[in-house]
Amino acid sequence: MGYRNLQECVVDLEQRGMLLRIEAPLDPRLEIGAVQRRVYQAGGPALLFTNPVNCRFPLLGNLYGTLERTRFIFRDTLDDIRCLVDLKINPFSLLKNPLDIIKAPAAALHLLPATTRNAPVLECRTTLSNLPQIVSWPMDGGAFITLPQVYTESPDRPGFGRSNLGMYRVQISGNSYEADRQVGLHYQIHRGIGGHHAEAIARGDLLRVNVFVGGPPSMAVAAVMPLPEGMPELSFAGLLAGQRIPMVRQPGQLPISAQADFCICGVVDPHKTMPEGPFGDHLGYYSLTHEFPAIQVEAVYHRRDAIWPFTTVGRPPQEDTSFGAFIHELTGPLIPTVVQGVKEVHAVDAAGVHPLLLAIATERYVPYAAERQPQELLTIANAILGQGQLSLAKYLFIAAHEDAPVLHTHDCAAFFKHMLERVDWSRNLHFQTTTTIDTLDYSGSGLNEGSKVVIAAAGPVRRKLSAEVPAGLEFPPEFGGADVCLPGVLAVTGPVSRQARGECDDVIEQFCAYYAERDCFEGFPLIVICDDARFAAAALNNFLWVTFTRSNPATDIYGIRAENRGRHWGCKGALVIDARSKPFHAPPLVDDPAVERKVDELGAPGGPLHGII
């Protein structure tokens, strides 16, 4: 049986030495978030801040900070969920383990939420200004709820069966929000709440919204799960909790999670938006101020012993990385059942998740051909880009399973080596030049607007990759300094970008022209132009972050000896990606030096974090 609420979880983790109480008075503005990030990076325990400055509620951070701790929290139900996943993949598994059929129906009983009158969350009422005012980064536009569970139901077909529980950003102070009356609701495209919002607009109705904070730990995981269309997140939360999620009904409001620590109830005017942001986000940059819906708050409830869970996000890896790894463990085996022919898909966390997908799939078309070429891979790539949040990817690299059956997408270095040994830039690039990308990605032509490229490789090795900077390499004016990121990948420092949004840059075209008659990049099929080649090459994660968060395929991919054949673009020499910071990009997240010094003091001898950070 899993935890019914956050209080049970905290007590258990503390008794097992997996949670540390921090009694030092720390400010929810910048300080507490900085501590959580540092402890996460050190692989440290969950943190309960019992004395936050100007805050009456204890704050819980880093709860899901390690994959091992996340597995432990849900240890009682993981086997049941794996059983149900396995049954979907292979019903014949019952012949090997017939007792599993006994478990499956028992777990299925937890799919439906339970209606209850016992609701600790309704014990007390408060106001928005009395909630913890956590500000994670110096340029954030106000305080945000960073682990919200936003609950809505279909206006056309209300009820649990058409509900959505999502982790959408909620700003509770700042900007022009009316104090204690309004909060910002930022949801990205391709989110379940968007359908409910569209229905409300069509009907001319208000959209009712409840924001839960805390409660059963399974609720937070369910809110970020990429579930199949039609499966309510509350059902998955029940499976993961090992018990039905108790909900309470209040007159005129949506159902409320009875064991939640907090609940904000309100309505969204479907025709009204307000400025929301900035906010330091998980790509490692600020998402800027834009118009988003706002919730008109009607009530704020909390339980008497309420705990406020939070996280901070920033350049990966962060705590949401552990979320992603746990979700992949649960859902990874289902991917081949969703898209025929797919073996693996990896949304690369170090590149901000949505910018970069790596995939392995079958290439079975024309099996009698003398040489394998990407054909079925392209069919499968289109199917991948039509799946839920995967549709927001900018770069999809897809390899043929038959070429290397032991290759895995989570070994990024090996995967890139495999691709770059085989790719033919003259025919293996396939663009979508005007389409949707992640709301948080500012590399494109506008908010939610950008491009995609599929890079497919199949067949034998075409080239040998180099791992050393070419001797005597010369550079055109304003360029200089080169470092090897990976075998076959060379980073080159370029001049400061003056590129306009949605336009290509003549400076990079001139770079490519400079080398058109010079055979300088033998063994380097990929060149990355960046602001600091040494930084990009210092670590694999640096290369992934710089290259794929700072480039838009349609405007930032160039080629040496490029050519057009009909409407198809390719190049005979190296592919060049312009991954410099552009004038229209959002600023990167930078820690406050004074705050970091205070965190250092907490880790000094005698400090509460000594031996942890």
Side-chain angles (χ1 to χ4, degrees):
M1 184 71 72
Y3 302 117
R4 293 179 305 159
N5 50 49
L6 207 53
Q7 287 67 24
E8 289 182 355
C9 180
V10 165
V11 169
D12 190 31
L13 293 182
E14 187 170 27
Q15 289 176 346
R16 296 172 183 269
M18 302 170 73
L19 179 144
L20 177 67
R21 287 178 179 261
I22 305 291
E23 297 179 355
L26 293 172
D27 198 332
R29 177 176 176 80
L30 302 183
E31 292 180 354
I32 285 179
V35 169
Q36 185 270 324
R37 293 194 296 272
R38 289 280 288 276
V39 172
Y40 169 80
Q41 297 295 338
L47 302 170
L48 187 67
F49 298 87
T50 59
N51 191 24
V53 174
N54 296 325
C55 180
R56 55 178 289 203
F57 300 104
L59 310 181
L60 176 65
N62 211 41
L63 179 63
Y64 309 100
T66 68
L67 182 55
E68 293 73 22
R69 186 160 59 250
T70 306
R71 289 181 186 137
F72 177 81
I73 290 170
F74 302 110
R75 63 196 179 279
D76 293 338
T77 57
L78 291 184
D79 286 344
D80 284 349
I81 290 177
R82 289 173 182 138
C83 170
L84 292 170
V85 169
D86 190 45
L87 289 175
K88 179 171 177 60
I89 296 170
N90 181 14
F92 295 103
S93 65
L94 290 178
L95 299 178
K96 298 179 182 178
N97 301 290
L99 291 179
D100 283 350
I101 199 169
I102 298 174
K103 292 189 213 173
L109 290 175
H110 305 142
L111 287 168
L112 295 175
T115 301
T116 182
R117 293 182 179 179
N118 178 30
V121 69
L122 298 179
E123 290 175 336
C124 307
R125 293 187 66 160
T126 188
T127 62
L128 293 172
S129 56
N130 283 324
L131 296 178
Q133 303 292 302
I134 293 181
V135 178
S136 300
W137 294 97
M139 290 172 55
D140 281 358
F144 289 81
I145 305 175
T146 53
L147 285 177
Q149 307 152 30
V150 181
Y151 182 79
T152 56
E153 293 182 355
S154 164
D156 288 343
R157 300 177 64 181
F160 154 74
R162 298 279 179 167
S163 66
N164 176 256
L165 186 75
M167 192 166 285
Y168 313 125
R169 197 165 82 210
V170 177
Q171 183 174 352
I172 59 175
S173 68
N175 295 349
S176 56
Y177 299 120
E178 186 179 350
D180 291 328
R181 295 295 304 277
Q182 292 174 322
V183 299
L185 176 62
H186 174 126
Y187 65 84
Q188 296 159 257
I189 58 173
H190 212 297
R191 305 292 176 168
I193 192 176
H196 293 171
H197 198 176
E199 289 177 14
I201 291 173
R203 295 167 62 94
D205 289 343
L206 299 174
L207 178 66
R208 289 216 155 267
V209 179
N210 283 350
V211 181
F212 312 137
V213 182
S218 66
M219 290 282 281
V221 176
V224 296
M225 282 291 294
L227 295 176
E229 190 77 23
M231 181 177 182
E233 287 78 10
L234 285 182
S235 289
F236 183 83
L239 288 175
L240 195 56
Q243 54 198 306
R244 298 169 69 184
I245 299 299
M247 305 291 287
V248 62
R249 294 186 178 274
Q250 289 281 94
Q253 295 176 346
L254 293 176
I256 296 172
S257 175
Q259 290 287 340
D261 287 76
F262 300 84
C263 178
I264 300 172
C265 299
V267 294
V268 171
D269 182 335
H271 300 289
K272 183 177 181 179
T273 60
M274 297 182 69
E276 186 270 355
F279 179 75
D281 231 312
H282 73 262
L283 265 69
Y285 309 89
Y286 286 95
S287 56
L288 304 179
T289 303
H290 298 284
E291 293 288 318
F292 278 95
I295 301 173
Q296 195 72 25
V297 175
E298 297 176 337
V300 181
Y301 301 101
H302 70 89
R303 56 190 297 152
R304 199 173 304 278
D305 56 353
I307 298 170
W308 184 271
F310 75 96
T311 189
T312 55
V313 292
R315 181 191 159 185
Q318 299 289 347
E319 186 176 2
D320 54 347
T321 302
S322 299
F323 259 127
F326 182 66
I327 288 169
H328 178 77
E329 282 192 354
L330 297 180
T331 63
L334 288 173
I335 290 173
T337 73
V338 176
V339 180
Q340 185 67 31
V342 170
K343 298 295 182 180
E344 296 181 20
V345 176
H346 177 199
V348 180
D349 181 73
V353 182
H354 289 150
L356 175 63
L357 295 181
L358 309 181
I360 297 172
T362 55
E363 181 52 75
R364 299 166 297 185
Y365 289 3
V366 197
Y368 49 82
E371 182 176 309
R372 185 180 295 111
Q373 295 181 0
Q375 296 179 76
E376 185 181 16
L377 291 185
L378 301 181
T379 300
I380 294 170
N382 285 325
I384 291 172
L385 292 176
Q387 296 297 317
Q389 294 177 33
L390 298 181
S391 68
L392 302 179
K394 293 190 300 184
Y395 288 84
L396 169 56
F397 287 75
I398 186 166
H401 169 71
E402 292 79 3
D403 290 336
V406 298
L407 184 67
H408 291 289
T409 55
H410 280 73
D411 186 345
C412 291
F415 187 90
F416 272 95
K417 179 177 183 293
H418 173 94
M419 291 289 296
L420 294 175
E421 286 176 336
R422 291 167 172 79
V423 70
D424 178 355
W425 298 131
S426 68
R427 61 168 295 156
N428 293 156
L429 296 164
H430 306 274
F431 290 88
Q432 294 181 21
T433 55
T434 305
T435 185
T436 53
I437 61 173
D438 187 2
T439 304
L440 308 180
D441 191 327
Y442 285 83
S443 67
S445 51
L447 186 67
N448 300 325
E449 297 175 0
S451 61
K452 307 180 189 303
V453 64
V454 173
I455 299 172
V461 170
R462 303 173 59 87
R463 64 180 64 83
K464 182 178 180 180
L465 304 180
S466 180
E468 295 183 359
V469 177
L473 179 63
E474 296 181 353
F475 300 99
E478 299 189 89
F479 292 84
D483 289 89
V484 176
C485 299
L486 291 170
V489 182
L490 190 69
V492 175
T493 300
V496 173
S497 174
R498 296 178 177 82
Q499 180 178 340
R501 184 186 292 277
E503 302 293 333
C504 292
D505 193 333
D506 289 343
V507 172
I508 307 300
E509 296 282 14
Q510 293 164 13
F511 174 92
C512 294
Y514 180 86
Y515 293 106
E517 304 301 326
R518 297 174 170 86
D519 193 12
C520 296
F521 296 123
E522 182 71 23
F524 287 101
L526 179 58
I527 310 298
V528 177
I529 308 298
C530 52
D531 300 308
D532 185 344
R534 183 168 297 179
F535 173 81
L540 173 61
N541 282 0
N542 288 6
F543 157 69
L544 295 170
W545 183 61
V546 167
T547 303
F548 299 106
T549 66
R550 297 181 182 178
S551 62
N552 174 43
T555 55
D556 293 326
I557 287 182
Y558 304 78
I560 295 174
R561 299 196 299 279
E563 61 181 12
N564 288 296
R565 287 185 293 170
R567 297 295 182 267
H568 183 83
W569 182 93
C571 59
K572 293 182 177 178
L575 192 76
V576 177
I577 299 179
D578 180 8
R580 296 173 297 165
S581 295
K582 315 298 193 300
F584 51 87
H585 286 183
L589 304 180
V590 179
D591 291 310
D592 184 300
V595 172
E596 290 303 303
R597 287 193 293 271
K598 185 163 185 177
V599 177
D600 289 338
E601 293 172 2
L602 297 174
L609 298 178
H610 180 59
I612 296 176
I613 63 172

